[in-house]
C-alpha cells in the first residue's frame, strides 16, 4: 500500500509479534492485546516515541502513562521498591495491578512518561503477546489504553481501529481481552500507606486484608490530585447513560445483567467476571446504535463489580 498513514493489522502470531517489535524498536507505536484492555505501546526510553502516543490519543500531557515490564530486574531499574513493594509485587505480578512507586532518578525513561511526577506507574502484564513484545523489544514499554482520549476503552482489535486507524503504525490482533477492565492502581507511599488510585480487576481492599488483616484506608484527597487521569470524564460512550435501570424506556439501548435481558447482556448467568470482560463491548455497541440514550441494569457492588460500577459512573457523568 502506498498510503503512508495506513495502519497495518496483523494477527498476534510469532511473525506478527516480530514485526511489531521491529516497529516499536524503531520508535513506532503499536496497539497490542493485554489481559486488561488493548494498550498502545512505545519504547518507554524514547521521548519521541512517547510524544507520538500522546499525540495519537489526543491525551493531555498531565496524564501519565503506565510503564510495562517483563521482569523484576526491569521493574527495579525504573522504580524504587521498598520491602513492602517487593512483597506486593511478588503477590500480584504478573497481573492486573499497577504499582505507583518513587521514580528512580537514574531511570532510563522519557520525561513525559510520568508527566513530571516524582512517582512512576509500573505493571507486569500477564498476557503472552504483551510479554513477548516487551521481551523482543528489550526495553520497558509505555502503554496507555489504545483509544482516543475520553472514549470507551478497547477490548478487541476492531475497537482499536474504530478510533485509531490511520493514527498509529500497527494493530496486533490477539482476540478479545480476557479480563476486560483497566488495571487496579495502587500507590505505595514511602511511609507504607496504600492509596487506591483506581478500582480494577483485583480487589485491593481484599488484598490488604489478606496481607495485613485490616481494611484499606479511604483514599486521601491528595491522591486524586496526583492522578489527574482519574479526575477527568473517562470512558464516555458520547450519549446520556442512566444507571441501575429496572426497565427500558423509549429511545434507550439497554445493557442488561442476569435475567434482565437487554439489547446487550453483560452476563445472563449473573457472573461478574464475565460482565467485566463484556462491559466495553456492550458500551461500544450502545454507542454505535441508533438509540440516543443508554440504560444499564444494576450491577452488584462486590468484587470486580465495584470496578464495573466505577467505570459506569464515569461513563454516566
Ligand atoms: P490508562 O493506561 O489509559 O489506563 O491510564 C493510566 C492511568 O494511570 C491514568 O489514570 C493515570 O492517571 C495513572 N497514572 C500513571 N502514572 C501515575 C503516577 N505516577 N501517579 C498516579 N497515577 C498515575
Ligand atoms: Mg485510558
Amino acid at each position: 500500500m502506498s498510503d503512508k498513514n495506513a495502519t497495518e493489522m496483523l494477527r498476534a502470531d510469532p511473525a506478527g509479534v516480530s514485526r511489531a517489535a521491529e516497529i516499536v524498536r524503531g520508535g513506532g507505536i503499536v496497539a497490542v492485546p493485554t489481559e486488561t484492555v488493548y494498550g498502545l505501546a512505545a519504547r518507554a526510553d524514547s521521548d519521541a516515541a512517547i510524544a507520538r502516543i500522546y499525540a495519537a490519543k489526543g491525551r493531555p500531557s498531565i496524564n501519565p502513562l503506565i510503564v510495562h515490564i517483563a521482569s523484576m530486574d526491569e521493574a527495579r531499574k525504573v522504580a524504587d521498591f521498598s520491602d513492602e513493594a517487593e512483597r506486593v509485587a511478588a503477590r500480584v505480578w504478573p497481573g492486573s495491578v499497577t504499582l505507583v512507586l518513587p521514580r528512580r532518578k537514574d531511570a532510563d525513561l522519557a520525561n513525559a512518561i510520568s508527566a513530571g511526577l516524582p512517582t512512576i506507574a509500573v505493571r507486569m502484564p500477564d498476557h503472552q503477546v504483551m510479554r513477548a513484545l516487551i521481551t523482543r523489544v528489550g526495553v520497558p514499554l509505555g502503554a496507555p489504553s489504545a483509544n482516543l482520549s475520553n472514549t470507551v476503552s478497547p477490548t478487541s482489535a476492531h475497537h482499536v481501529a474504530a478510533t485509531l486507524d490511520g493514527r498509529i503504525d500497527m494493530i496486533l490482533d490477539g482476540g478479545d481481552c480476557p479480563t476486560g477492565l483497566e488495571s487496579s492502581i495502587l500507590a505505595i507511599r514511602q511511609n507504607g500507606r496504600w492509596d487506591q488510585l483506581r478500582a480494577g480487576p483485583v480487589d485491593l481492599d481484599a488484598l490488604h486484608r489478606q496481607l495485613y488483616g485490616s481494611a484499606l484506608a479511604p483514599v486521601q484527597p491528595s491522591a486524586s490530585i496526583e492522578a489527574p487521569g482519574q479526575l477527568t470524564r473517562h470512558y464516555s460512550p458520547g450519549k446520556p447513560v442512566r444507571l441501575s435501570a429496572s426497565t427500558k424506556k423509549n429511545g434507550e439501548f439497554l445493557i442488561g445483567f442476569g435475567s434482565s435481558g437487554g439489547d446487550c447482556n453483560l452476563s445472563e448467568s449473573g457472573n461478574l467476571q464475565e460482565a467485566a470482560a463484556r462491559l466495553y463491548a456492550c458500551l461500544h455497541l450502545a454507542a454505535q446504535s441508533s438509540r440516543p440514550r443508554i440504560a444499564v441494569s444494576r450491577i452488584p457492588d462486590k468484587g470486580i463489580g465495584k470496578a464495573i460500577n466505577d467505570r459506569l459512573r464515569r461513563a454516566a457523568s
Side-chain angles (χ1 to χ4, degrees), residues 41-59:
R43 45 191 306 161
D45 63 354
S46 162
D47 290 317
I50 294 305
R52 286 194 62 201
I53 286 188
Y54 280 95
K57 283 180 59 74
R59 185 175 177 105

Side-chain angles (χ1 to χ4, degrees), residues 57 59 144-145 147 153 182 198 234-235:
K57 283 180 59 74
R59 185 175 177 105
S145 53
N147 56 331
S153 287
E182 301 85 348
R198 178 169 74 191
H234 257 59
Y235 318 101

Side-chain angles (χ1 to χ4, degrees), residues 226-294:
E226 183 193 322
Q230 260 97 102
L231 293 179
T232 52
R233 189 164 133 241
H234 257 59
Y235 318 101
S236 170
K239 297 178 180 181
V241 179
R242 186 168 67 90
L243 302 180
S244 299
S246 46
T247 53
K248 173 171 149 171
K249 298 184 183 169
N250 253 347
E252 284 182 338
F253 180 103
L254 178 65
I255 298 178
F257 177 74
S259 57
S260 68
D263 300 290
C264 184
N265 194 291
L266 293 172
S267 169
E268 282 174 3
S269 64
N271 179 309
L272 287 169
Q273 301 290 338
E274 185 185 17
R278 288 180 50 75
L279 176 66
Y280 290 140
C282 281
L283 280 172
H284 278 278
L285 286 176
Q288 285 152 18
S289 102
S290 58
R291 304 302 156 66
R293 287 182 300 283
I294 302 169

Side-chain angles (χ1 to χ4, degrees), residues 153-200:
S153 287
T155 53
S156 73
H158 167 76
H159 295 159
V160 176
T163 65
L164 293 182
D165 192 31
R167 303 177 68 88
I168 63 179
D169 297 310
M170 180 182 167
I171 300 171
L172 261 184
D173 184 355
D176 293 343
C177 299
T179 303
L181 285 184
E182 301 85 348
S183 57
S184 310
I185 304 184
L186 167 63
I188 301 179
R189 307 304 180 186
Q190 266 148 315
N191 63 8
R193 196 185 73 230
W194 286 23
D195 284 325
Q196 170 177 291
L197 301 184
R198 178 169 74 191

